[in-house]
Amino acid sequence: MSLCMGCMQEIGSNQVCPNCGFDNTKTQSAPFLPYRTVLNNRYIVGTGIDNNGESTRYLGFDKHTGEIVIVCEFLPIGLFDRQYNEKEVKVSFENETVYNKLKKQFISYYSTLSQMKDLSALLKIHDVFTENNTAYVIEENEDLIPFEEYVKRSNGHLDWDIARPLFMPVISALEAMHKKGIGHYALSPRNMYVTAAGKIKITGFATQNERKRGTELKSQLFGGCAAPEQYLDNFPLDNITDIYGFCATLFYALTGHLPNNAQERLKDSRLLMSTNTVKRLPPHVVTALANGLQVKRENRITDFDDLRSQLSLAPTVQAIQEEISRTASLNKIKDDEKKGMSHFSIGVLSAAITAVVLGVVGILIFLQNPFASLFNGDMSNQETTENQEWTGPTVPDYVGKVYNDIDQASDTNVKFYRAFEDEYSDQYPEGQVMKQFPPAGSPVNEGVEVAVTLTVSKGSQMRKLPQVEDKNIDTVAESLGALGFVVNADYQYSNEFAKDRVIAYKDYKPGDQLEDGAEVKIIVSKGVETNDDASSSKVSSVTSN
């Protein structure tokens, strides 16, 4: 049987896989395992998938079951050495104590995780073993959709009715992990996937050493989802840390964007939500997100039961609804006992109870919505016209002004906030306010603070490529980056252009218009080719053959 190292499908005598296009004549670079390495006399190692400061994950094949698996290898960056085409990990005497300690913790973490196969949100761990002076974990491999892609396919955000059944099993998984003495600490959209059956699966597991600063490992934190304490040197992590990551990921699912980085939120802790988002989310969900994303640990939700409860229907309303249901059932059972009560009386009583419920709901909505003070009126997106009879204060006109130049007047009850997402505009240059809500001229009641949301222009979506010929690469990279392009470079020898001077664009010419964020490749001079360079190139060519 001949397997493709890129997808683990049978390819026969083909070198380039007809299924995925992987070139099986290639080799895997050091320090990663060579293609077709067999571990534990069972698992065939294929191409690398990803890596962090603690481990590397490869595509694998289980010879016993015929299933594709994921092979996770303990490879702590900076603490080991392994040459090209070798399997054995070498550790210097100076690093041996730390290496062995971390390896032991790695094995313990995944051994504990392997005991939780009944939790639907966790990928199953099939095997944990040692070999080649390191440790290996065999994870299940499923056909999964990246969570970020899943959200994009759902109009950029999920409704609460869709998100709730997806996320509740994640709370149970995190709760079970912490009861076993381990945590995840890297929950984020990048570490979540959705199965074909519509269930969430969590990936991105690692020990605490990888998920906080100040340890022997090069930490991997996910901006917007990592809690503030994870940026502190060797701060002990716990369930409160994972609650922050969970709420940040749920926030992303419901709004389409992540909260600001935790370090930025220490300066400005506000969570940015559009008016429409606040309107369509149940108030108790908004409250739970605000409580779970408190930057101060002492103000944050502290346990998973409380998190689960806050994301459920508001307790007071639920209790009233249950009492109404119970009363209705008793009335039905004891119908004979209600003969003295007319239908009119029953209707009056029902209406009174309904009014009480709606009143309580209204109070809860007002009290529970931490964003209520940021909005005015019905928060609709419809423009209002200036009331000709209104003689009081009105909302100022910010459209067309440079956002950074707008001063927040201290003597007005109008506060402005920048919308989370800037928008493209051919009419307004980058940095100018292109629209506002409520619109200019809207009446403002005396003594009531009104929030005005300002949308700032990103400028035109199409950007023109400038002249780059014979300019220094650093200067060109900086100017193209400022225009919003992603810059890459190809190098070649040149008799005309000095070393590190730009020769031309590779696929475009000056004046071409590309979308903001487009990748632009430039050709950069390596200078005049010398005899030594030519000889080295020939030797390299012979060696590669």
Side-chain angles (χ1 to χ4, degrees), residues 299-483:
N299 297 334
R300 205 178 304 159
I301 297 173
T302 58
D303 63 70
F304 293 106
D305 276 339
D306 191 14
L307 174 63
R308 190 182 288 110
S309 175
Q310 290 198 34
L311 285 173
S312 300
L313 186 63
T316 307
V317 177
Q318 188 173 18
I320 293 174
Q321 289 181 336
E322 289 174 353
E323 180 62 22
I324 292 173
S325 299
R326 187 181 70 82
T327 303
S329 298
L330 288 174
N331 287 340
K332 185 175 181 180
I333 294 172
K334 299 180 180 180
D335 187 56
D336 292 339
E337 299 179 8
K338 300 186 297 178
K339 292 180 180 179
M341 182 178 288
S342 68
H343 290 294
F344 174 77
S345 300
I346 295 172
V348 170
L349 177 60
S350 300
I353 293 174
T354 302
V356 171
V357 172
L358 292 176
V360 173
V361 171
I363 293 171
L364 285 170
I365 288 174
F366 178 78
L367 292 177
Q368 288 184 328
N369 189 345
F371 301 95
S373 65
L374 300 185
F375 303 99
N376 182 41
D378 63 1
M379 298 183 294
S380 70
N381 284 326
Q382 296 178 353
E383 291 190 1
T384 61
T385 58
E386 184 177 356
N387 188 335
Q388 297 300 322
E389 299 179 359
W390 181 258
T391 58
T394 59
V395 174
D397 187 1
Y398 296 106
V399 174
K401 296 182 179 180
V402 177
Y403 179 82
N404 290 335
D405 292 342
I406 299 175
D407 291 326
Q408 181 71 75
S410 58
D411 59 346
T412 179
N413 56 348
V414 176
K415 301 291 183 182
F416 64 83
Y417 299 88
R418 183 169 182 162
F420 182 82
E421 293 182 357
D422 297 345
E423 297 182 10
Y424 292 109
S425 171
D426 293 328
Q427 180 180 357
Y428 296 97
E430 184 175 1
Q432 279 190 5
V433 176
M434 56 184 288
K435 58 185 177 181
Q436 67 180 69
F437 176 81
S442 298
V444 177
N445 293 322
E446 293 285 354
V448 177
E449 184 175 283
V450 177
V452 179
T453 303
L454 306 180
T455 302
V456 180
S457 170
K458 293 196 291 187
S460 175
Q461 187 169 6
M462 302 303 292
R463 309 293 172 90
K464 185 181 293 186
L465 291 176
Q467 290 285 348
V468 295
E469 184 177 312
D470 203 25
K471 294 183 179 180
N472 181 272
I473 181 177
D474 293 333
T475 302
V476 170
E478 184 177 350
S479 63
L480 289 176
L483 287 171

Side-chain angles (χ1 to χ4, degrees), residues 228-240:
E229 59 265 26
Q230 292 180 260
Y231 293 90
L232 303 176
D233 281 353
N234 228 343
F235 192 96
L237 309 183
D238 55 15
N239 55 342
I240 302 177

Side-chain angles (χ1 to χ4, degrees), residues 490-508:
D490 278 350
Y491 287 83
Q492 67 182 41
Y493 292 108
S494 171
N495 294 327
E496 181 181 355
F497 295 92
K499 184 179 180 181
D500 290 334
R501 309 297 286 188
V502 176
I503 300 172
Y505 293 107
K506 184 172 183 181
D507 300 310
Y508 304 104

Side-chain angles (χ1 to χ4, degrees), residues 173-242:
L174 293 173
E175 186 176 35
M177 291 176 67
H178 281 273
K179 286 180 178 179
K180 291 284 189 179
I182 61 175
H184 190 280
Y185 309 128
L187 203 65
S188 73
R190 288 179 56 188
N191 286 331
M192 285 183 18
Y193 293 81
V194 180
T195 68
K199 305 291 184 183
I200 278 184
K201 289 286 186 180
I202 306 171
T203 63
F205 297 101
T207 67
Q208 270 202 38
N209 304 304
E210 177 63 9
R211 301 308 182 197
K212 60 184 177 181
R213 298 284 169 83
T215 72
E216 296 90 345
L217 295 179
K218 182 179 179 181
S219 61
Q220 182 190 49
L221 305 180
F222 294 89
C225 293
E229 59 265 26
Q230 292 180 260
Y231 293 90
L232 303 176
D233 281 353
N234 228 343
F235 192 96
L237 309 183
D238 55 15
N239 55 342
I240 302 177
T241 306
D242 261 338

